[in-house]
PDB file of all heavy atoms in Angstrom:
ATOM      1  N   LEU A1435      12.177  11.088  19.176  1.00 98.00           N
ATOM      2  CA  LEU A1435      11.159  10.136  18.881  1.00 98.00           C
ATOM      3  C   LEU A1435       9.901  10.891  18.442  1.00 98.00           C
ATOM      4  O   LEU A1435       9.345  11.769  19.187  1.00 98.00           O
ATOM      5  CB  LEU A1435      10.774   9.362  20.270  1.00 98.00           C
ATOM      6  CG  LEU A1435       9.484   8.476  20.001  1.00 98.00           C
ATOM      7  CD1 LEU A1435       9.816   7.463  19.057  1.00 98.00           C
ATOM      8  CD2 LEU A1435       9.267   7.805  21.520  1.00 98.00           C
ATOM      9  N   TYR A1436       9.631  10.759  17.124  1.00 97.00           N
ATOM     10  CA  TYR A1436       8.490  11.404  16.446  1.00 97.00           C
ATOM     11  C   TYR A1436       7.248  10.890  17.217  1.00 97.00           C
ATOM     12  O   TYR A1436       7.214   9.628  17.541  1.00 97.00           O
ATOM     13  CB  TYR A1436       8.475  11.269  15.020  1.00 97.00           C
ATOM     14  CG  TYR A1436       9.377  12.361  14.431  1.00 97.00           C
ATOM     15  CD1 TYR A1436      10.724  12.176  14.178  1.00 97.00           C
ATOM     16  CD2 TYR A1436       8.805  13.660  14.032  1.00 97.00           C
ATOM     17  CE1 TYR A1436      11.325  13.077  13.528  1.00 97.00           C
ATOM     18  CE2 TYR A1436       9.576  14.538  13.580  1.00 97.00           C
ATOM     19  CZ  TYR A1436      10.969  14.399  13.223  1.00 97.00           C
ATOM     20  OH  TYR A1436      11.800  15.322  12.732  1.00 97.00           O
ATOM     21  N   PRO A1437       6.079  11.695  17.316  1.00 95.00           N
ATOM     22  CA  PRO A1437       4.952  11.247  18.047  1.00 95.00           C
ATOM     23  C   PRO A1437       4.228  10.197  17.104  1.00 95.00           C
ATOM     24  O   PRO A1437       4.274  10.147  15.866  1.00 95.00           O
ATOM     25  CB  PRO A1437       4.131  12.450  18.182  1.00 95.00           C
ATOM     26  CG  PRO A1437       4.691  13.438  17.129  1.00 95.00           C
ATOM     27  CD  PRO A1437       6.241  13.079  16.888  1.00 95.00           C
ATOM     28  N   MET A1438       3.388   9.335  17.859  1.00 93.00           N
ATOM     29  CA  MET A1438       2.589   8.520  17.125  1.00 93.00           C
ATOM     30  C   MET A1438       1.380   9.306  16.581  1.00 93.00           C
ATOM     31  O   MET A1438       0.877   8.971  15.542  1.00 93.00           O
ATOM     32  CB  MET A1438       2.057   7.426  18.094  1.00 93.00           C
ATOM     33  CG  MET A1438       1.141   6.413  17.402  1.00 93.00           C
ATOM     34  SD  MET A1438       2.262   5.378  16.229  1.00 93.00           S
ATOM     35  CE  MET A1438       0.893   4.327  15.651  1.00 93.00           C
ATOM     36  N   VAL A1439       0.941  10.215  17.368  1.00 92.00           N
ATOM     37  CA  VAL A1439      -0.294  11.008  16.926  1.00 92.00           C
ATOM     38  C   VAL A1439       0.102  12.633  17.243  1.00 92.00           C
ATOM     39  O   VAL A1439       0.555  12.772  18.375  1.00 92.00           O
ATOM     40  CB  VAL A1439      -1.584  10.736  17.765  1.00 92.00           C
ATOM     41  CG1 VAL A1439      -2.647  11.510  17.262  1.00 92.00           C
ATOM     42  CG2 VAL A1439      -1.806   9.310  17.572  1.00 92.00           C
ATOM     43  N   THR A1440      -0.122  13.401  16.406  1.00 92.00           N
ATOM     44  CA  THR A1440       0.213  14.954  16.598  1.00 92.00           C
ATOM     45  C   THR A1440      -0.528  15.707  15.823  1.00 92.00           C
ATOM     46  O   THR A1440      -0.885  15.372  14.659  1.00 92.00           O
ATOM     47  CB  THR A1440       1.764  15.164  16.486  1.00 92.00           C
ATOM     48  OG1 THR A1440       1.999  16.354  17.072  1.00 92.00           O
ATOM     49  CG2 THR A1440       2.204  15.025  15.066  1.00 92.00           C
ATOM     50  N   ILE A1441      -0.563  16.970  16.122  1.00 91.00           N
ATOM     51  CA  ILE A1441      -1.029  18.027  15.176  1.00 91.00           C
ATOM     52  C   ILE A1441       0.168  19.124  15.169  1.00 91.00           C
ATOM     53  O   ILE A1441       0.594  19.602  14.047  1.00 91.00           O
ATOM     54  CB  ILE A1441      -2.203  18.753  15.512  1.00 91.00           C
ATOM     55  CG1 ILE A1441      -3.434  17.752  15.187  1.00 91.00           C
ATOM     56  CG2 ILE A1441      -2.425  20.085  14.883  1.00 91.00           C
ATOM     57  CD1 ILE A1441      -4.736  18.413  15.552  1.00 91.00           C
ATOM     58  N   ASN A1442       0.725  19.323  16.351  1.00 92.00           N
ATOM     59  CA  ASN A1442       1.840  20.474  16.404  1.00 92.00           C
ATOM     60  C   ASN A1442       3.075  19.924  16.770  1.00 92.00           C
ATOM     61  O   ASN A1442       3.996  20.727  17.144  1.00 92.00           O
ATOM     62  CB  ASN A1442       1.313  21.430  17.590  1.00 92.00           C
ATOM     63  CG  ASN A1442       1.346  20.858  18.937  1.00 92.00           C
ATOM     64  OD1 ASN A1442       1.566  19.642  19.068  1.00 92.00           O
ATOM     65  ND2 ASN A1442       0.912  21.645  19.929  1.00 92.00           N
ATOM     66  N   GLY A1443       3.364  18.578  16.714  1.00 94.00           N
ATOM     67  CA  GLY A1443       4.705  18.044  17.033  1.00 94.00           C
ATOM     68  C   GLY A1443       4.868  17.362  18.277  1.00 94.00           C
ATOM     69  O   GLY A1443       5.594  16.592  18.588  1.00 94.00           O
ATOM     70  N   GLU A1444       3.828  17.705  19.214  1.00 93.00           N
ATOM     71  CA  GLU A1444       3.807  17.031  20.528  1.00 93.00           C
ATOM     72  C   GLU A1444       3.071  15.633  20.445  1.00 93.00           C
ATOM     73  O   GLU A1444       2.118  15.558  19.694  1.00 93.00           O
ATOM     74  CB  GLU A1444       3.105  17.921  21.647  1.00 93.00           C
ATOM     75  CG  GLU A1444       3.905  19.148  21.983  1.00 93.00           C
ATOM     76  CD  GLU A1444       3.206  19.970  23.127  1.00 93.00           C
ATOM     77  OE1 GLU A1444       2.124  20.467  22.827  1.00 93.00           O
ATOM     78  OE2 GLU A1444       3.732  20.064  24.155  1.00 93.00           O
ATOM     79  N   GLU A1445       3.629  14.819  21.282  1.00 93.00           N
ATOM     80  CA  GLU A1445       2.857  13.469  21.316  1.00 93.00           C
ATOM     81  C   GLU A1445       1.547  13.668  22.046  1.00 93.00           C
ATOM     82  O   GLU A1445       1.549  14.190  23.100  1.00 93.00           O
ATOM     83  CB  GLU A1445       3.771  12.362  22.055  1.00 93.00           C
ATOM     84  CG  GLU A1445       3.035  11.116  22.168  1.00 93.00           C
ATOM     85  CD  GLU A1445       2.798  10.288  20.996  1.00 93.00           C
ATOM     86  OE1 GLU A1445       3.665   9.743  20.342  1.00 93.00           O
ATOM     87  OE2 GLU A1445       1.550  10.358  20.497  1.00 93.00           O
ATOM     88  N   CYS A1446       0.440  13.137  21.517  1.00 90.00           N
ATOM     89  CA  CYS A1446      -0.839  13.297  22.146  1.00 90.00           C
ATOM     90  C   CYS A1446      -1.693  11.978  22.270  1.00 90.00           C
ATOM     91  O   CYS A1446      -2.859  12.040  22.461  1.00 90.00           O
ATOM     92  CB  CYS A1446      -1.606  14.486  21.627  1.00 90.00           C
ATOM     93  SG  CYS A1446      -2.127  14.300  19.863  1.00 90.00           S
ATOM     94  N   HIS A1447      -0.914  10.960  21.855  1.00 87.00           N
ATOM     95  CA  HIS A1447      -1.661   9.613  21.951  1.00 87.00           C
ATOM     96  C   HIS A1447      -1.495   8.998  23.467  1.00 87.00           C
ATOM     97  O   HIS A1447      -0.456   9.233  23.966  1.00 87.00           O
ATOM     98  CB  HIS A1447      -0.982   8.578  21.049  1.00 87.00           C
ATOM     99  CG  HIS A1447      -1.912   7.519  20.850  1.00 87.00           C
ATOM    100  ND1 HIS A1447      -2.055   6.383  21.714  1.00 87.00           N
ATOM    101  CD2 HIS A1447      -2.659   7.068  19.739  1.00 87.00           C
ATOM    102  CE1 HIS A1447      -2.779   5.534  21.253  1.00 87.00           C
ATOM    103  NE2 HIS A1447      -3.263   5.876  20.069  1.00 87.00           N
ATOM    104  N   ASN A1448      -2.540   8.495  24.000  1.00 80.00           N
ATOM    105  CA  ASN A1448      -2.660   8.242  25.414  1.00 80.00           C
ATOM    106  C   ASN A1448      -2.855   6.803  25.811  1.00 80.00           C
ATOM    107  O   ASN A1448      -3.323   6.592  26.897  1.00 80.00           O
ATOM    108  CB  ASN A1448      -3.635   9.151  26.170  1.00 80.00           C
ATOM    109  CG  ASN A1448      -4.944   9.057  25.593  1.00 80.00           C
ATOM    110  OD1 ASN A1448      -5.365   8.034  25.058  1.00 80.00           O
ATOM    111  ND2 ASN A1448      -5.652  10.201  25.652  1.00 80.00           N
ATOM    112  N   GLU A1449      -2.572   5.978  24.890  1.00 83.00           N
ATOM    113  CA  GLU A1449      -2.553   4.469  25.195  1.00 83.00           C
ATOM    114  C   GLU A1449      -1.096   4.039  25.262  1.00 83.00           C
ATOM    115  O   GLU A1449      -0.334   4.116  24.349  1.00 83.00           O
ATOM    116  CB  GLU A1449      -3.211   3.650  24.116  1.00 83.00           C
ATOM    117  CG  GLU A1449      -4.756   3.946  24.009  1.00 83.00           C
ATOM    118  CD  GLU A1449      -5.333   3.257  22.773  1.00 83.00           C
ATOM    119  OE1 GLU A1449      -4.818   2.164  22.524  1.00 83.00           O
ATOM    120  OE2 GLU A1449      -6.284   3.774  22.201  1.00 83.00           O
ATOM    121  N   TRP A1450      -0.795   3.568  26.579  1.00 83.00           N
ATOM    122  CA  TRP A1450       0.704   3.316  26.875  1.00 83.00           C
ATOM    123  C   TRP A1450       1.382   2.399  25.840  1.00 83.00           C
ATOM    124  O   TRP A1450       2.559   2.637  25.527  1.00 83.00           O
ATOM    125  CB  TRP A1450       0.946   2.777  28.279  1.00 83.00           C
ATOM    126  CG  TRP A1450       0.252   1.397  28.391  1.00 83.00           C
ATOM    127  CD1 TRP A1450      -0.975   1.081  28.833  1.00 83.00           C
ATOM    128  CD2 TRP A1450       1.024   0.092  28.180  1.00 83.00           C
ATOM    129  NE1 TRP A1450      -1.179  -0.425  28.855  1.00 83.00           N
ATOM    130  CE2 TRP A1450      -0.022  -0.937  28.501  1.00 83.00           C
ATOM    131  CE3 TRP A1450       2.160  -0.301  27.725  1.00 83.00           C
ATOM    132  CZ2 TRP A1450       0.365  -2.282  28.264  1.00 83.00           C
ATOM    133  CZ3 TRP A1450       2.488  -1.539  27.610  1.00 83.00           C
ATOM    134  CH2 TRP A1450       1.646  -2.558  27.962  1.00 83.00           C
ATOM    135  N   GLU A1451       0.664   1.314  25.387  1.00 87.00           N
ATOM    136  CA  GLU A1451       1.320   0.383  24.454  1.00 87.00           C
ATOM    137  C   GLU A1451       1.577   0.989  23.008  1.00 87.00           C
ATOM    138  O   GLU A1451       2.342   0.400  22.239  1.00 87.00           O
ATOM    139  CB  GLU A1451       0.390  -0.890  24.327  1.00 87.00           C
ATOM    140  CG  GLU A1451      -0.981  -0.732  23.662  1.00 87.00           C
ATOM    141  CD  GLU A1451      -2.076  -0.197  24.553  1.00 87.00           C
ATOM    142  OE1 GLU A1451      -1.720   0.235  25.682  1.00 87.00           O
ATOM    143  OE2 GLU A1451      -3.207  -0.389  24.252  1.00 87.00           O
ATOM    144  N   ILE A1452       0.911   2.217  22.868  1.00 87.00           N
ATOM    145  CA  ILE A1452       1.207   2.890  21.579  1.00 87.00           C
ATOM    146  C   ILE A1452       2.185   3.989  21.762  1.00 87.00           C
ATOM    147  O   ILE A1452       3.213   4.144  21.184  1.00 87.00           O
ATOM    148  CB  ILE A1452      -0.073   3.536  20.915  1.00 87.00           C
ATOM    149  CG1 ILE A1452      -1.160   2.407  20.844  1.00 87.00           C
ATOM    150  CG2 ILE A1452       0.120   4.188  19.671  1.00 87.00           C
ATOM    151  CD1 ILE A1452      -0.666   1.164  19.936  1.00 87.00           C
ATOM    152  N   THR A1453       1.830   4.887  22.812  1.00 88.00           N
ATOM    153  CA  THR A1453       2.654   6.040  23.027  1.00 88.00           C
ATOM    154  C   THR A1453       4.191   5.715  23.328  1.00 88.00           C
ATOM    155  O   THR A1453       5.060   6.284  22.830  1.00 88.00           O
ATOM    156  CB  THR A1453       2.122   6.829  24.296  1.00 88.00           C
ATOM    157  OG1 THR A1453       0.629   7.055  24.001  1.00 88.00           O
ATOM    158  CG2 THR A1453       2.845   8.081  24.501  1.00 88.00           C
ATOM    159  N   PHE A1454       4.273   4.790  24.223  1.00 91.00           N
ATOM    160  CA  PHE A1454       5.665   4.416  24.734  1.00 91.00           C
ATOM    161  C   PHE A1454       6.377   3.302  23.849  1.00 91.00           C
ATOM    162  O   PHE A1454       7.568   3.242  23.874  1.00 91.00           O
ATOM    163  CB  PHE A1454       5.691   3.824  26.177  1.00 91.00           C
ATOM    164  CG  PHE A1454       5.028   4.779  27.045  1.00 91.00           C
ATOM    165  CD1 PHE A1454       4.420   4.227  28.225  1.00 91.00           C
ATOM    166  CD2 PHE A1454       5.116   6.123  26.949  1.00 91.00           C
ATOM    167  CE1 PHE A1454       3.890   5.153  29.147  1.00 91.00           C
ATOM    168  CE2 PHE A1454       4.527   7.045  27.817  1.00 91.00           C
ATOM    169  CZ  PHE A1454       3.941   6.575  29.040  1.00 91.00           C
ATOM    170  N   GLU A1455       5.600   2.526  23.168  1.00 96.00           N
ATOM    171  CA  GLU A1455       6.096   1.223  22.590  1.00 96.00           C
ATOM    172  C   GLU A1455       6.041   1.240  21.037  1.00 96.00           C
ATOM    173  O   GLU A1455       6.957   0.490  20.505  1.00 96.00           O
ATOM    174  CB  GLU A1455       5.487  -0.023  23.113  1.00 96.00           C
ATOM    175  CG  GLU A1455       5.698  -0.064  24.681  1.00 96.00           C
ATOM    176  CD  GLU A1455       5.197  -1.439  25.233  1.00 96.00           C
ATOM    177  OE1 GLU A1455       4.415  -2.052  24.496  1.00 96.00           O
ATOM    178  OE2 GLU A1455       5.607  -1.751  26.282  1.00 96.00           O
ATOM    179  N   GLU A1456       5.040   1.820  20.321  1.00 97.00           N
ATOM    180  CA  GLU A1456       5.040   1.703  18.965  1.00 97.00           C
ATOM    181  C   GLU A1456       6.030   2.633  18.340  1.00 97.00           C
ATOM    182  O   GLU A1456       5.644   3.588  17.461  1.00 97.00           O
ATOM    183  CB  GLU A1456       3.673   1.931  18.412  1.00 97.00           C
ATOM    184  CG  GLU A1456       3.546   1.285  17.056  1.00 97.00           C
ATOM    185  CD  GLU A1456       1.922   1.089  16.676  1.00 97.00           C
ATOM    186  OE1 GLU A1456       1.108   1.062  17.607  1.00 97.00           O
ATOM    187  OE2 GLU A1456       1.670   1.089  15.440  1.00 97.00           O
ATOM    188  N   ILE A1457       7.301   2.469  18.617  1.00 97.00           N
ATOM    189  CA  ILE A1457       8.309   3.348  18.207  1.00 97.00           C
ATOM    190  C   ILE A1457       8.778   3.112  16.780  1.00 97.00           C
ATOM    191  O   ILE A1457       9.644   3.977  16.209  1.00 97.00           O
ATOM    192  CB  ILE A1457       9.531   3.301  19.179  1.00 97.00           C
ATOM    193  CG1 ILE A1457       9.944   1.782  19.271  1.00 97.00           C
ATOM    194  CG2 ILE A1457       9.193   3.750  20.537  1.00 97.00           C
ATOM    195  CD1 ILE A1457      11.189   1.503  20.155  1.00 97.00           C
ATOM    196  N   HIS A1458       8.203   2.181  16.067  1.00 98.00           N
ATOM    197  CA  HIS A1458       8.610   1.985  14.686  1.00 98.00           C
ATOM    198  C   HIS A1458       8.244   3.070  13.726  1.00 98.00           C
ATOM    199  O   HIS A1458       8.795   3.271  12.634  1.00 98.00           O
ATOM    200  CB  HIS A1458       8.038   0.720  14.064  1.00 98.00           C
ATOM    201  CG  HIS A1458       6.556   0.699  13.943  1.00 98.00           C
ATOM    202  ND1 HIS A1458       5.930   1.417  12.981  1.00 98.00           N
ATOM    203  CD2 HIS A1458       5.558   0.137  14.737  1.00 98.00           C
ATOM    204  CE1 HIS A1458       4.639   1.306  13.131  1.00 98.00           C
ATOM    205  NE2 HIS A1458       4.383   0.610  14.244  1.00 98.00           N
ATOM    206  N   ARG A1459       7.503   4.076  14.319  1.00 97.00           N
ATOM    207  CA  ARG A1459       6.995   5.256  13.591  1.00 97.00           C
ATOM    208  C   ARG A1459       8.278   6.041  13.154  1.00 97.00           C
ATOM    209  O   ARG A1459       8.226   6.690  12.092  1.00 97.00           O
ATOM    210  CB  ARG A1459       6.091   5.943  14.226  1.00 97.00           C
ATOM    211  CG  ARG A1459       6.715   6.604  15.737  1.00 97.00           C
ATOM    212  CD  ARG A1459       5.541   6.676  16.756  1.00 97.00           C
ATOM    213  NE  ARG A1459       6.056   7.407  17.911  1.00 97.00           N
ATOM    214  CZ  ARG A1459       5.669   6.965  19.133  1.00 97.00           C
ATOM    215  NH1 ARG A1459       5.114   5.844  19.351  1.00 97.00           N
ATOM    216  NH2 ARG A1459       6.022   7.775  20.195  1.00 97.00           N
ATOM    217  N   ASN A1460       9.264   6.051  14.003  1.00 98.00           N
ATOM    218  CA  ASN A1460      10.506   6.709  13.569  1.00 98.00           C
ATOM    219  C   ASN A1460      11.044   6.277  12.389  1.00 98.00           C
ATOM    220  O   ASN A1460      11.703   7.093  11.577  1.00 98.00           O
ATOM    221  CB  ASN A1460      11.539   6.505  14.758  1.00 98.00           C
ATOM    222  CG  ASN A1460      11.741   7.821  15.587  1.00 98.00           C
ATOM    223  OD1 ASN A1460      10.971   8.715  15.503  1.00 98.00           O
ATOM    224  ND2 ASN A1460      12.779   7.781  16.383  1.00 98.00           N
ATOM    225  N   GLY A1461      10.974   4.998  11.988  1.00 98.00           N
ATOM    226  CA  GLY A1461      11.501   4.385  10.871  1.00 98.00           C
ATOM    227  C   GLY A1461      10.740   4.822   9.633  1.00 98.00           C
ATOM    228  O   GLY A1461      11.417   5.049   8.592  1.00 98.00           O
ATOM    229  N   ALA A1462       9.382   5.088   9.819  1.00 98.00           N
ATOM    230  CA  ALA A1462       8.652   5.632   8.659  1.00 98.00           C
ATOM    231  C   ALA A1462       9.035   7.030   8.260  1.00 98.00           C
ATOM    232  O   ALA A1462       9.105   7.353   7.004  1.00 98.00           O
ATOM    233  CB  ALA A1462       7.193   5.567   8.909  1.00 98.00           C
ATOM    234  N   ILE A1463       9.376   7.780   9.246  1.00 98.00           N
ATOM    235  CA  ILE A1463       9.793   9.142   8.884  1.00 98.00           C
ATOM    236  C   ILE A1463      11.139   9.195   8.157  1.00 98.00           C
ATOM    237  O   ILE A1463      11.287   9.851   7.133  1.00 98.00           O
ATOM    238  CB  ILE A1463      10.077   9.976  10.151  1.00 98.00           C
ATOM    239  CG1 ILE A1463       8.864   9.810  11.105  1.00 98.00           C
ATOM    240  CG2 ILE A1463      10.422  11.398   9.988  1.00 98.00           C
ATOM    241  CD1 ILE A1463       7.516  10.418  10.688  1.00 98.00           C
ATOM    242  N   ALA A1464      12.125   8.329   8.675  1.00 98.00           N
ATOM    243  CA  ALA A1464      13.392   8.291   7.916  1.00 98.00           C
ATOM    244  C   ALA A1464      13.146   7.666   6.548  1.00 98.00           C
ATOM    245  O   ALA A1464      13.770   8.101   5.479  1.00 98.00           O
ATOM    246  CB  ALA A1464      14.279   7.414   8.767  1.00 98.00           C
TER     247      ALA A1464
END
Side-chain angles (χ1 to χ4, degrees):
L1435 176 59
Y1436 276 91
M1438 186 66 182
V1439 180
T1440 193
I1441 285 184
N1442 65 359
E1444 288 183 297
E1445 176 65 78
C1446 62
H1447 197 285
N1448 53 32
E1449 296 176 26
W1450 67 268
E1451 66 271 23
I1452 307 300
T1453 307
F1454 303 151
E1455 297 190 342
E1456 198 165 339
I1457 54 177
H1458 67 81
R1459 63 215 189 221
N1460 255 11
I1463 309 297

